[in-house]
Amino acid sequence: MDHMTLVPPEKTSQTDPRFRGELSSLPNHIAIIMDGNGRWAGRRSLQRFLGHSQGAEVVQYVVETASRIELPWLTLYAFSIENRLRRPQEEVGFLMKLLHLYLVKNVKRMNDNNVRIAYIGRTHELPPDVQETMAWAADATAKNTGTTLTLALNYGSRVEILDAMRSLLRHELAAGKTAEQIADRLASEAADGHLSRQMYTAHMPDPDLLIRTSGEFRISNFLLWQIAYAEIFVTEKMWPDFTGLNLIEAIAEYQRRERRFGGLGSAPEPQPAEATPIPV
Ligand code: FPP
């Protein structure tokens, strides 16, 4: 699909200021907090597990929509460190099985859609058989050049920042740097990105758009460092009800936002009031 078709042809940025149809206003990276599987199931008097199963089905539709609109980066929060530590073992085990099945079932579709699979998080703490399937899926899709689907698994943002800090310090100390030099490196982070380069996400751009389903206004320890300037879109839809069309709607809403990155943006600057002559 051509990028420009996201903007209704009769309402281009020239004719309708609500739409900003320029290619530059399309997000490069969308991150999604997939929430509400349990509530989706509860509202139907189903077990939570069935909510997760339905949630896994939906993942593939959203991934394929992302691929069709040529979104370069899609990152999904599939399993947090807190999920692993705080949910019943039975549910954690089920989510692991679901992940395994999802990968086995969808690698062919990923290849058909030119999607590459990657992961972030403390994946080495996941069950070895799941890690094997993950490595297989990553290898099997490594040559694809379309959307990179990154699954955040056993992921926690604070842990990621601490891991990055540890790795930066180890690296700098091994290179014989003094405390003063290390402090200077950190002080120049905005320009040089030394710490960013140690994050799990070092190879990707920061998310432009963060979507959360289920109507909760929380970040839940997801990409705290990387979403500094992301636009946030919260939808009432529970994850198993989220569709490719909802993804497009979120993008359309993103296109209506003005990103200022701490600057002044494009709104006309207020004209200074006419100076009152100082009486002499
Ligand atoms: C939140 O719903 C969702 C999760 C904890 C896991 C997300 C997992 C999936 C969407 C399915 C598996 C994913 C892949 C990639 C195979 P919740 O259980 O917290 O919902 P609730 O807040 O309504 O209880």
Side-chain angles (χ1 to χ4, degrees):
M1 180 196 281
D2 184 272
H3 278 141
M4 296 303 287
T5 57
L6 283 182
V7 178
E10 73 280 14
K11 286 181 176 175
T12 64
S13 54
Q14 280 79 44
T15 57
D16 185 335
R18 290 175 307 156
F19 291 97
R20 293 167 198 277
E22 320 86 67
L23 286 173
S24 61
S25 69
L26 281 164
N28 211 7
H29 183 176
I30 298 181
I32 308 185
I33 302 175
M34 307 181 289
D35 192 20
N37 292 350
R39 274 164 288 166
W40 181 91
R43 286 175 189 177
R44 290 160 179 78
S45 305
L46 300 171
Q47 288 190 319
R48 292 181 58 74
F49 301 96
L50 290 170
H52 291 316
S53 298
Q54 190 55 33
E57 291 291 322
V58 164
V59 166
Q60 195 52 27
Y61 295 125
V62 172
V63 169
E64 288 179 22
T65 302
S67 151
R68 246 167 269 137
I69 62 169
E70 296 176 17
L71 178 74
W73 303 92
L74 175 68
T75 301
L76 303 179
Y77 202 7
F79 186 60
S80 69
I81 291 181
E82 291 72 23
N83 291 155
R84 183 170 64 83
L85 298 176
R86 298 190 186 145
R87 298 219 173 182
Q89 271 315 301
E90 209 191 358
E91 183 168 342
V92 170
F94 184 82
L95 283 169
M96 290 299 98
K97 246 186 236 149
L98 204 54
L99 171 65
H100 168 87
L101 279 177
Y102 169 77
L103 293 173
V104 169
K105 194 171 139 197
N106 288 295
V107 157
K108 184 179 177 303
R109 290 179 68 144
M110 298 290 176
N111 283 332
D112 291 346
N113 286 279
N114 198 20
V115 172
R116 185 167 66 128
I117 305 180
Y119 315 97
I120 53 170
R122 284 193 167 176
T123 52
H124 59 279
E125 294 172 351
L126 296 173
D129 56 323
V130 174
Q131 287 186 51
E132 260 175 45
T133 312
M134 287 165 57
W136 163 78
D139 272 2
T141 59
K143 290 204 181 71
N144 294 335
T145 54
T147 301
T148 297
L149 163 67
T150 303
L151 299 177
L153 293 163
N154 199 32
Y155 175 87
S157 188
R158 287 181 170 178
V159 161
E160 176 187 26
I161 293 169
L162 293 173
D163 281 351
M165 188 62 94
R166 246 201 322 266
S167 139
L168 179 74
L169 288 177
R170 273 204 200 107
H171 190 265
E172 299 293 294
L173 291 172
K177 297 276 165 39
T178 63
E180 197 58 36
Q181 287 170 321
I182 298 173
D184 283 350
R185 288 221 150 196
L186 288 174
S188 67
E189 174 63 26
D192 300 331
H194 298 297
L195 190 59
S196 296
R197 276 201 293 280
Q198 303 299 329
M199 300 279 178
Y200 310 149
T201 52
H203 57 289
M204 45 173 127
D206 286 345
D208 302 295
L209 173 62
L210 174 71
I211 299 175
R212 181 169 188 142
T213 57
S214 93
E216 307 276 1
F217 287 78
R218 274 195 296 277
I219 303 298
S220 300
N221 202 17
F222 188 43
L223 301 174
L224 298 178
W225 177 268
Q226 297 86 343
I227 59 163
Y229 287 102
E231 294 297 323
I232 298 179
F233 178 86
V234 175
T235 167
E236 289 293 325
K237 293 230 164 204
M238 299 293 141
W239 175 253
D241 287 330
F242 194 82
T243 62
L245 187 61
N246 297 136
L247 181 73
I248 303 294
E249 282 165 3
I251 293 173
E253 164 66 27
Y254 166 88
Q255 290 182 311
R256 284 176 221 127
R257 308 258 180 104
E258 184 184 33
R259 302 185 77 192
R260 292 196 290 274
F261 300 94
L264 293 176
S266 60
E269 285 189 30
Q271 295 303 308
E274 198 129 305
T276 314
I278 300 169
V280 281

